[in-house]
Amino acid sequence: MEHIRTPKVENVRLVDRISSKKAALGTLYLTATHVIFVENAPDTRKETWILHSQISTIEKQATAATGCPLLIRCKNFQLLQLIIPQERDCHDVYISLIRLARPVKYEELYCFSFNPKLDKEEREQGWMLIDLSEEYKRMGLPNNYWQLSDVNRDYRVCDSYPTELYVPKSATAHIIVGSSKFRSRRRFPALSYYYRDNHASICRSSQPLSGFSARCLEDEQMLQAIRKANPGSDFIYVVDTRPKLNAMANRAAGKGYENEDNYSNIKFQFIGIENIHVMRNSLQKMLEVCELKSPSMSDFLWGLENSGWLRHIKAIMDAGIFIAKAVSEEGVSVLVHCSDGWDRTAQVCSVASLLLDPHYRTLKGFMVLIEKDWISFGHKFNHRYGNLDGDPKEISPVIDQFIECVWQLMEQFPCAFEFNERFLIHIQHHIYSCQFGNLLCNSQKERQELRIQERTYSLWAHLWKNRADYMNPLFRDDHSQTRGTLRLPTTPCNFLYKFWSGMYNRFEKGLQPRQSVTDYLMAVKEETQQLEEEREALEERLEKIQKVQLNHTKVKAKQSEPSKHSGFSTSDNSTANTPQDYSGNMKSFPSRSPSQGDEDSALILTQDNLKSSDPDLSANSDQESGVEDLSCRSPSGGECAPSEDSGKDRDSDEAVFLTA
Amino acid sequence: MEFSDLIRTRRAQAKLLRGPEAPPLRGTLCLTGHHLLLSPGPQATSELWLLLLRSVDSIEKRVASDSGTITLRCKDLRVLQLEIEGVEASLDIARSIEALSSLESVITSFPFFYRPKGLRLGDAWHFHPPERYYKRVARETNAWRLSEVNEDFSVCPSYPRAVIVPRSVDDGALARSARFRQGGRFPVLSYHHAPSGTVLVRSSQPLTGPQKRRCAEDEELLRAVLAGARPGARGFIVDTRSSQAAKQARMTGGGTEAKAAYPGWKRLHRPLERGQPLQESFVRLVEACGDLQQSTDSWLRRLEGCCWLAHVKEALSTACLAAQGMEREGACILVHGAEGTDSTLLVTSLAQLILDPLSRTMAGFQELVEREWIQAGHPFQLRCAHSAFSHARPKHEAPTFLLFLDCVWQLGRQFPLSLEFGEGLLLALFEHAYASPFGTFLCNSERERCLCEVRTRTHSLWSGLNQPKEQRKLRNPLYAPNPLAIWPSVELQSLRLWQGLFLRWIRPPEPSEVAWEKVWQIVTDKEKTKLSQPTVSASEPQL
């Protein structure tokens, strides 16, 4: 690759962020797609793989005596601190990565070179796994009120919308086109979700070009048509997900929001979710808190609060809850929009759908939901997640927030989702990985022009193939609580929103629970199933033997040996762990450098499944087992004793103890 | 003493509100010496509702024209509301509840009257004496002996009759060391860590005073501790006060070990919050949890402001430090603060939980609580007299034991497969420590319990908890014995608010209950399938 100035640097140190004393010595490789760090330690040869597309920022810090530090921050919240001995090498790596992390053409992205060794047929089948027309059928469409419209064939009306859209039956092509001219980027109101039980629906659009007084008859008719498509209600809610001030400011630019007086039978409502710039800064602030070096509990909670992140998550949830309630309890249809209708609108519509319909809480249903509300409706993946080099002001963690909303719901309803936290984390990873084609580009139209389906593989097929890893053993589709609409407590429960350490600190395994309940229960379930099968086989055999016996044939029955199960989850023992730094300021018992995250990474990710395609996910694997760890205690207990007297404080031995 | 003196109105019609999620109950309210009962009318299907008066933490009354409303805030953090017909009746009842819930006499308390079916008096009281733990120590090392120097509680009123001490130190030296330690709490064995051959020892502060007094027997005792451990072992004294506070304590006759007097021992200061500030932290946390109208930001600000999680972090870190010193450094550890009955026990009991796989079992954990808290003389009656709702200025109250339970919960969250007991047991211990029909948490020390004949006249909580019907609530179905030490992460991102306790009555309980059911179902399914297996294979040879 022409952009790689130096493919290999030796004697590079990878610094452990939590205990800065611990650094691994190894070799750094730059390839066309990855940065790879291989540790020298002969027994582990631990590898850390980073995809170029995951790199968010690269920071070259002031050269120190030990070398030149390079800080790589990733979009999946991995943080890599390298110390490169030679300034020149460091500079070369820096310059190379700057270029590699910011591709200018789609063709440079990983998905165009990624080859999981599937044949053409398998690839095509993969793309057919999620089918939106099937999804609308599942909702019960078309029916007496809604029909499939071909008005956007060849993207004639709106180039960021899909070609196949459901609109009210009474909305003629004339009305649709007219309405589209009165909406930002021609994103006219179209169906997002139809609630079969009571005909209420969720529609989405962009803001109207109302300015201070403009009107559009067709747009008014369009909303009228949406209302008529729900015979059970005589009005619809129009939900503007922006703060009122932002919406008013838009009026000056000839945009704005619906005037209740001009539209018959609408109830207009603002739900203040902040814009992409506020969200970008908020995440930035929260990540800074995560990066603080040995903060106090107070620093951490203050920082978390000041970032406003959880407040924003709650705002999105509240909007989703409002809409879900309007649809399921009041039976009123809702039209949702923000400015362009591709960020906040996508968040809110998908949260509401998730609350309303248990199908979206299944593994496949969740993929459908993302396909519907995000991919097909033109969420700008490329701009928001910076896949190609572009305007940094366009970048914002919009879908990350949605994914976090799902996690917050999973925490509150442990039995309501078929999938587990790992599924969400892997989806987040692939939003940035550019390894699969689904989440590329800014619209369906672009994807079609790039012939994504012919040239890349589908993420959904990949996730589906590995679905065993993503199952939530606690999922109960039979329980009244998890069927139908999820009911959130009536009281506003702020404390239900928690910091998602499993996402934002996911690469600091030492901070995560050391044992996985999910994996344990899945293993138990699997074993139960095996036993079940074995019993069936035995019963079958018993039947045969009985038959043979009837024929007076002597059969020496061989006692079947109860098979030895590989034993589910010896995870306990493999959950090695070493104490971390408990004495503050990184200077505890000097003899052993406390380490982080020594547990078997198999607990976190099933390595075999990921090795081929997600090398970066299985990175940071540390095979050190607990038993080994104990046995590798330095035998020289006496030698590592803090030396006798060197303390400054005569009265206390603390300084001696800590610094020796 | 007659309860009837305190009860003027025994009965009234009332409506009970139990929080936003539960339906209200209507019926006849009855007041007895120990309980508040609500018996629903004959047509109602619901059962009798019962509240131990002792569990009422504070009471608030409001009257309208012909009825009164009483708000009861309970020690388990529940908030109940009673709407009572008749102003006079409601005022009477409120007054009675107030008086009956704060009776100081131990021997008239409910445990002395509680006679449940299926339990026999005296059962389980023999479960966990120090003698029993000594048997285990004796199997592992010969360096320690069981001393009965405190047989009549004269040497140390807050220690049990028998304590484990270095074999080479005689009772006379112990008694003299006791005079050099506050409250007579001379250094005794808390835990022997067999793999490393080191010990965890606890005491109270030495009475060095401004003159920097010394005590030869005390010095000998600590020398013997090192001598009995693995050869070449050093010692660390973990003082749970700041070095400044320890110095200040000299002015009032206390102090800390002078370096020169205890060769081989080094001192470390790890200040832990205790007493009133800890109680205030608890009160403020509970206040914040109960305020449902606040925004997300102010919730975080208040969570930060109350410092509870910071206390959890400090307690866990200090325990980890002590455990690390033993397991990784092969050093002996002596833990003390001032009195040695609060933060000291917090550290020693947590360190054992981290190191000792046995203490993570159901029986082992109960033994740990009995040995390191109850028998070790944590003054439960003083510390748990009031919970977070009391309006009275706290005198001796402090949620040290609750802080311990919270730390255990954090361990369980980080190692969900390694504790044999579940959150249910921790919640039960919290409840019973503050108000209980059982005698286990009564009084402040073994001595007081003997005087009140608690062992013979009340039932033990352990026998109550170990009944088969309780097991599903208390046990962790995921438990798989883990022979290793469990080192928790004490980073801020790894510590969480214990919602199951602090938000227990605020958030809807169903989702977690449904999940718990499912976990049990998955695990028992496997057991069932496993059990059904042999019958098939066993039937084969008969053919």
PDB file of all heavy atoms in Angstrom, chain A residues 86-97:
ATOM      1  N   GLN A  86      11.999   5.264  18.378  1.00  0.00           N
ATOM      2  CA  GLN A  86      12.564   6.302  17.528  1.00  0.00           C
ATOM      3  C   GLN A  86      11.516   7.325  17.121  1.00  0.00           C
ATOM      4  O   GLN A  86      10.439   6.958  16.662  1.00  0.00           O
ATOM      5  CB  GLN A  86      13.166   5.679  16.260  1.00  0.00           C
ATOM      6  CG  GLN A  86      14.310   4.729  16.524  1.00  0.00           C
ATOM      7  CD  GLN A  86      15.513   5.432  17.126  1.00  0.00           C
ATOM      8  OE1 GLN A  86      15.802   6.578  16.759  1.00  0.00           O
ATOM      9  NE2 GLN A  86      16.194   4.783  18.061  1.00  0.00           N
ATOM     10  N   GLU A  87      11.856   8.564  17.233  1.00  0.00           N
ATOM     11  CA  GLU A  87      10.945   9.636  16.865  1.00  0.00           C
ATOM     12  C   GLU A  87      10.553   9.512  15.385  1.00  0.00           C
ATOM     13  O   GLU A  87       9.414   9.698  15.001  1.00  0.00           O
ATOM     14  CB  GLU A  87      11.623  10.984  17.148  1.00  0.00           C
ATOM     15  CG  GLU A  87      10.650  12.115  17.456  1.00  0.00           C
ATOM     16  CD  GLU A  87      10.022  12.720  16.222  1.00  0.00           C
ATOM     17  OE1 GLU A  87      10.697  12.730  15.177  1.00  0.00           O
ATOM     18  OE2 GLU A  87       8.866  13.166  16.307  1.00  0.00           O
ATOM     19  N   ARG A  88      11.543   9.149  14.562  1.00  0.00           N
ATOM     20  CA  ARG A  88      11.303   9.055  13.120  1.00  0.00           C
ATOM     21  C   ARG A  88      10.267   7.973  12.800  1.00  0.00           C
ATOM     22  O   ARG A  88       9.341   8.183  12.022  1.00  0.00           O
ATOM     23  CB  ARG A  88      12.630   8.749  12.404  1.00  0.00           C
ATOM     24  CG  ARG A  88      12.631   8.970  10.919  1.00  0.00           C
ATOM     25  CD  ARG A  88      14.051   8.818  10.366  1.00  0.00           C
ATOM     26  NE  ARG A  88      14.744   7.699  11.008  1.00  0.00           N
ATOM     27  CZ  ARG A  88      14.660   6.426  10.612  1.00  0.00           C
ATOM     28  NH1 ARG A  88      13.934   6.132   9.565  1.00  0.00           N
ATOM     29  NH2 ARG A  88      15.303   5.476  11.252  1.00  0.00           N
ATOM     30  N   ASP A  89      10.426   6.816  13.441  1.00  0.00           N
ATOM     31  CA  ASP A  89       9.457   5.734  13.246  1.00  0.00           C
ATOM     32  C   ASP A  89       8.071   6.191  13.669  1.00  0.00           C
ATOM     33  O   ASP A  89       7.073   5.929  13.000  1.00  0.00           O
ATOM     34  CB  ASP A  89       9.849   4.507  14.083  1.00  0.00           C
ATOM     35  CG  ASP A  89      11.041   3.787  13.495  1.00  0.00           C
ATOM     36  OD1 ASP A  89      11.255   3.930  12.264  1.00  0.00           O
ATOM     37  OD2 ASP A  89      11.756   3.103  14.246  1.00  0.00           O
ATOM     38  N   CYS A  90       8.051   6.850  14.796  1.00  0.00           N
ATOM     39  CA  CYS A  90       6.770   7.303  15.323  1.00  0.00           C
ATOM     40  C   CYS A  90       6.103   8.231  14.324  1.00  0.00           C
ATOM     41  O   CYS A  90       4.913   8.117  14.043  1.00  0.00           O
ATOM     42  CB  CYS A  90       6.978   8.005  16.664  1.00  0.00           C
ATOM     43  SG  CYS A  90       5.441   8.493  17.435  1.00  0.00           S
ATOM     44  N   HIS A  91       6.883   9.116  13.789  1.00  0.00           N
ATOM     45  CA  HIS A  91       6.343  10.063  12.817  1.00  0.00           C
ATOM     46  C   HIS A  91       5.806   9.324  11.591  1.00  0.00           C
ATOM     47  O   HIS A  91       4.715   9.621  11.100  1.00  0.00           O
ATOM     48  CB  HIS A  91       7.436  11.056  12.409  1.00  0.00           C
ATOM     49  CG  HIS A  91       6.921  12.136  11.522  1.00  0.00           C
ATOM     50  ND1 HIS A  91       6.084  13.137  11.982  1.00  0.00           N
ATOM     51  CD2 HIS A  91       7.093  12.360  10.191  1.00  0.00           C
ATOM     52  CE1 HIS A  91       5.774  13.929  10.987  1.00  0.00           C
ATOM     53  NE2 HIS A  91       6.374  13.478   9.879  1.00  0.00           N
ATOM     54  N   ASP A  92       6.564   8.342  11.113  1.00  0.00           N
ATOM     55  CA  ASP A  92       6.130   7.565   9.953  1.00  0.00           C
ATOM     56  C   ASP A  92       4.814   6.839  10.223  1.00  0.00           C
ATOM     57  O   ASP A  92       3.896   6.849   9.406  1.00  0.00           O
ATOM     58  CB  ASP A  92       7.204   6.539   9.570  1.00  0.00           C
ATOM     59  CG  ASP A  92       8.355   7.200   8.818  1.00  0.00           C
ATOM     60  OD1 ASP A  92       8.194   8.380   8.430  1.00  0.00           O
ATOM     61  OD2 ASP A  92       9.402   6.545   8.639  1.00  0.00           O
ATOM     62  N   VAL A  93       4.741   6.227  11.390  1.00  0.00           N
ATOM     63  CA  VAL A  93       3.510   5.513  11.745  1.00  0.00           C
ATOM     64  C   VAL A  93       2.351   6.506  11.809  1.00  0.00           C
ATOM     65  O   VAL A  93       1.263   6.264  11.280  1.00  0.00           O
ATOM     66  CB  VAL A  93       3.668   4.796  13.108  1.00  0.00           C
ATOM     67  CG1 VAL A  93       2.338   4.237  13.593  1.00  0.00           C
ATOM     68  CG2 VAL A  93       4.703   3.686  12.999  1.00  0.00           C
ATOM     69  N   TYR A  94       2.652   7.629  12.417  1.00  0.00           N
ATOM     70  CA  TYR A  94       1.629   8.661  12.587  1.00  0.00           C
ATOM     71  C   TYR A  94       1.091   9.128  11.231  1.00  0.00           C
ATOM     72  O   TYR A  94      -0.116   9.135  10.988  1.00  0.00           O
ATOM     73  CB  TYR A  94       2.249   9.825  13.364  1.00  0.00           C
ATOM     74  CG  TYR A  94       1.353  11.032  13.519  1.00  0.00           C
ATOM     75  CD1 TYR A  94       0.261  10.996  14.397  1.00  0.00           C
ATOM     76  CD2 TYR A  94       1.596  12.202  12.807  1.00  0.00           C
ATOM     77  CE1 TYR A  94      -0.551  12.102  14.549  1.00  0.00           C
ATOM     78  CE2 TYR A  94       0.786  13.303  12.959  1.00  0.00           C
ATOM     79  CZ  TYR A  94      -0.288  13.257  13.822  1.00  0.00           C
ATOM     80  OH  TYR A  94      -1.089  14.349  13.971  1.00  0.00           O
ATOM     81  N   ILE A  95       2.007   9.491  10.349  1.00  0.00           N
ATOM     82  CA  ILE A  95       1.602   9.985   9.037  1.00  0.00           C
ATOM     83  C   ILE A  95       0.850   8.901   8.262  1.00  0.00           C
ATOM     84  O   ILE A  95      -0.186   9.170   7.638  1.00  0.00           O
ATOM     85  CB  ILE A  95       2.853  10.443   8.224  1.00  0.00           C
ATOM     86  CG1 ILE A  95       3.512  11.628   8.926  1.00  0.00           C
ATOM     87  CG2 ILE A  95       2.483  10.775   6.791  1.00  0.00           C
ATOM     88  CD1 ILE A  95       2.703  12.905   8.904  1.00  0.00           C
ATOM     89  N   SER A  96       1.338   7.669   8.345  1.00  0.00           N
ATOM     90  CA  SER A  96       0.670   6.581   7.631  1.00  0.00           C
ATOM     91  C   SER A  96      -0.754   6.398   8.140  1.00  0.00           C
ATOM     92  O   SER A  96      -1.704   6.298   7.359  1.00  0.00           O
ATOM     93  CB  SER A  96       1.423   5.257   7.823  1.00  0.00           C
ATOM     94  OG  SER A  96       2.783   5.423   7.550  1.00  0.00           O
ATOM     95  N   LEU A  97      -0.876   6.382   9.454  1.00  0.00           N
ATOM     96  CA  LEU A  97      -2.199   6.118  10.027  1.00  0.00           C
ATOM     97  C   LEU A  97      -3.168   7.258   9.752  1.00  0.00           C
ATOM     98  O   LEU A  97      -4.350   7.025   9.519  1.00  0.00           O
ATOM     99  CB  LEU A  97      -2.086   5.870  11.539  1.00  0.00           C
ATOM    100  CG  LEU A  97      -1.523   4.500  11.928  1.00  0.00           C
ATOM    101  CD1 LEU A  97      -1.498   4.354  13.442  1.00  0.00           C
ATOM    102  CD2 LEU A  97      -2.360   3.379  11.308  1.00  0.00           C
TER     103      LEU A  97
END
